Amino acid sequence: TADTGFTKKYEWQIWPQRLYMTLPVAHAYLRTGDMKYANAWMKIVKSWDEAHPYQPFEPLIHYIKTDMVWRDMQVAWRTLSLLHGVFMLQDAPFTCDEWKYLYDFIELHANHLYYEAIDRLDRNLAQNHVLQIGVALIMAGAMFPELKNAAEFIRIGSDTVQMNLKGAIYSDGGSNEDSPSYSHFIARLYLESYLLLKNNNLTMIEGLRESIVKQYEWLYHCMAPSGKVLRISDSYGMDAEADIRRAEELIELDFPRERGD
């Protein structure tokens, strides 16, 4: 493919901004209870924070014109990484000041995503990066109902997920993304939204459960005979059958299991 310069300029820079690397560290603490992992997690988070001062959302500046640290899916995935991290670290004996720091840091991210989500809703922009913003907002509001704007996070997050459900998922369960492995993580994001709303007795998004079942049915019929994801576009050969089995532990996938060509 032609070299647009995007990969050289951005990809090496934006992936670390999502704090993916903190998840296995938090999981190591959850498994072992060893405080060295909790301290390492906190060190990574604080070091990142010190190196990347907050940048308020400026809707008139396209994210490509920024360093993308405080824009788009970087903020969404960083928020998800932080939320999953504090869930796994909830029993860590951090000091009150450390926990206050984490609450404030998560609230800063959620407030930022709130304004990004409103911008996407105003433009009716439905695609997977926007879906991530909606899910992160629902998760932040559900996990931290004591936050000042928690109810608004859930409302705007739900509106964002619903916009994507209507604008980016087809009636057969397929996604407007042209990558089968993308469809797996997209279905899981909808499932995360559904479970967060259902398990916290929050207002459900109309048609969400039915679409999730349709999405997994589409994934079932579109996997290769080997049970792997089809290698189309930038899709990778993940285990589709295993992913569907994991989803079935969380939601009843009541679609027929007959396959044809």
Side-chain angles (χ1 to χ4, degrees), residues 54 56-59 70-72 75-76 79 106-122 130 132-138 140-141 147-160 163:
Y54 179 60
F57 176 55
E58 294 287 350
W70 280 99
R71 290 293 293 272
D72 196 54
V75 191
T79 304
I106 288 169
E107 187 170 26
L108 174 68
H109 279 73
N111 281 325
H112 181 100
L113 289 176
Y114 176 77
Y115 291 109
E116 285 216 46
I118 290 175
D119 173 71
R120 305 309 194 276
L121 287 166
D122 287 344
V130 181
Q132 294 163 31
I133 293 173
V135 177
L137 281 170
I138 294 173
L147 295 179
K148 179 181 177 181
N149 294 320
E152 273 295 284
F153 296 157
I154 294 168
R155 183 180 72 85
I156 291 297
S158 295
D159 287 349
T160 304
M163 175 183 69

Side-chain angles (χ1 to χ4, degrees), residues 12-66:
W12 63 270
Q13 136 80 352
I14 60 178
W15 276 67
Q17 315 311 334
R18 302 169 192 169
L19 294 186
Y20 293 147
M21 78 292 286
T22 62
L23 292 171
V25 183
H27 190 233
Y29 173 79
L30 181 65
R31 288 187 296 104
T32 67
D34 192 329
M35 195 60 189
K36 72 179 181 182
Y37 296 114
N39 289 332
W41 182 91
M42 182 69 79
K43 182 178 179 180
I44 295 170
V45 171
K46 285 189 171 182
S47 296
W48 184 93
D49 185 17
E50 291 169 4
H52 301 89
Y54 179 60
Q55 303 171 34
F57 176 55
E58 294 287 350
L60 298 180
I61 301 176
H62 194 280
Y63 69 89
I64 294 294
K65 302 290 185 182
T66 74

Side-chain angles (χ1 to χ4, degrees), residues 149-191:
N149 294 320
E152 273 295 284
F153 296 157
I154 294 168
R155 183 180 72 85
I156 291 297
S158 295
D159 287 349
T160 304
V161 171
Q162 186 173 47
M163 175 183 69
N164 280 270
L165 194 66
K166 292 179 178 179
I169 301 296
Y170 303 126
S171 59
D172 64 358
S175 164
N176 66 357
E177 301 282 349
D178 59 353
S179 168
S181 60
Y182 270 44
S183 294
H184 277 269
F185 87 72
I186 288 168
R188 183 52 189 252
L189 287 171
Y190 285 111
L191 180 53

Side-chain angles (χ1 to χ4, degrees), residues 87-103:
F87 180 81
M88 290 187 280
L89 290 156
Q90 62 185 284
D91 295 326
F94 292 139
T95 66
C96 288
D97 286 344
E98 287 174 322
W99 279 115
K100 177 66 165 56
Y101 162 77
L102 292 174
Y103 268 61

